């Protein structure tokens, strides 16, 4: 199989799993509504920037990649 096709299939499967976990885990873990996330609501506009959520996700992904490289 073509390596690019294999990479796309694996990437798609990973995104599906992450999406499912986000749906199920969203009830228990309030990612996107953490203290420190910026929300500005006006009459017809809602601006939302999840600063703290981005930092938490970055730390978790960095730790995961570190552990992956450590045990590879």
């Amino acid at each position: 199989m073509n390596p690019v096709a294999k990479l796309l299939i694996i990437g798609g499967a990973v995104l599906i799993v992450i999406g499912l976990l986000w749906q199920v885990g969203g009830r228990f873990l309030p990612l996107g509504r953490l203290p420190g996330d910026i929300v500005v609501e006006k009459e017809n506009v809602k601006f939302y920037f999840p600063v703290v959520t981005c930092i938490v996700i970055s730390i978790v992904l960095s730790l995961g990649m570190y552990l992956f490289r450590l045990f590879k």
Side-chain angles (χ1 to χ4, degrees), residues 5 9-10 13 18 22-25 30 33-35 37-38 41-42 44 46 49-51 60 65 68 71-72:
I9 290 170
I10 291 171
I18 289 172
W22 195 287
Q23 284 294 106
V24 173
R33 295 179 302 274
L34 295 174
D37 290 344
I38 299 172
E41 294 185 37
K42 298 284 183 173
N44 295 330
K46 182 176 183 180
F49 187 69
V51 176
V60 169
M65 293 304 289
F68 178 75
F71 292 115
K72 187 175 177 183

Side-chain angles (χ1 to χ4, degrees), residues 1-68:
M1 183 183 292
N2 188 354
V4 174
K6 190 175 183 180
L7 179 69
L8 288 174
I9 290 170
I10 291 171
V14 167
L15 286 175
I16 289 172
V17 169
I18 289 172
L20 290 173
L21 289 174
W22 195 287
Q23 284 294 106
V24 173
R27 298 179 190 156
F28 308 109
L29 185 65
L31 281 179
R33 295 179 302 274
L34 295 174
D37 290 344
I38 299 172
V39 179
V40 177
E41 294 185 37
K42 298 284 183 173
E43 295 173 4
N44 295 330
V45 178
K46 182 176 183 180
F47 175 74
Y48 179 73
F49 187 69
V51 176
V52 176
T53 301
C54 290
I55 292 170
V56 169
I57 291 173
S58 175
I59 290 170
V60 169
L61 288 176
S62 295
L63 181 63
M65 293 304 289
Y66 172 75
L67 292 174
F68 178 75

